[in-house]
Amino acid sequence: MENTDIVSKVKPKMPEMSTLYELSDFFKVMGDSTRIQLLWALEESEMCVGDLAQLLNISKSAVSHQLKILRTAKLARAQKKGKNVYYALNDHHVKIILEKALEHVCE
């Protein structure tokens, strides 16, 4: 049996479908273990592709591919310094999301 009072109360608080699709895409990007490792490393320090490849023990090509996805999703940013490009988390929200997710998993 439906409770129309609850439905009427909740419905206006629901985000637009386009926003929910964007949120779903965000979690798809976050749903890859290599990308999570990259984000976690970038939470600690700005790093270049070579450093990230060494840290994760994967190829520079694989790191670059995953960083492109993270940049497209606005989770990471790049900054050229001399001959190298250094990557960092895009903003403090990404760090908070990672920390809260870890907290949840460790409960």
Side-chain angles (χ1 to χ4, degrees):
M1 173 176 269
E2 292 115 20
N3 188 331
T4 56
D5 290 339
I6 292 175
V7 172
S8 297
K9 182 180 174 183
V10 172
K11 189 168 186 156
K13 295 180 182 184
M14 294 289 292
E16 295 288 326
M17 280 306 295
S18 59
T19 303
L20 292 173
Y21 285 128
E22 286 181 42
L23 186 60
S24 175
D25 289 343
F26 169 82
F27 281 109
K28 287 177 189 172
V29 170
M30 296 289 280
D32 179 272
S33 61
T34 300
R35 290 192 287 266
I36 291 292
Q37 289 178 76
L38 288 168
L39 289 170
W40 206 267
L42 296 176
E43 180 182 5
E44 295 297 323
S45 177
E46 282 188 352
M47 299 177 81
C48 66
V49 170
D51 293 339
L52 290 163
Q54 182 179 355
L55 178 67
L56 273 60
N57 197 30
I58 59 175
S59 71
K60 290 179 183 178
S61 174
V63 169
S64 293
H65 173 74
Q66 297 301 335
L67 286 170
K68 181 179 179 186
I69 294 168
L70 293 172
R71 288 180 64 204
T72 300
K74 299 178 184 168
L75 296 173
R77 62 180 163 77
Q79 182 178 359
K80 190 165 176 81
K81 293 182 182 178
K83 294 181 180 181
N84 288 325
V85 177
Y86 286 86
Y87 294 86
L89 295 183
N90 198 39
D91 60 38
H92 74 281
H93 295 112
V94 180
K95 181 177 181 171
I96 291 167
I97 291 165
L98 288 171
E99 288 172 348
K100 289 296 180 186
L102 180 64
E103 183 181 314
H104 176 74
V105 168
C106 291
E107 282 184 351

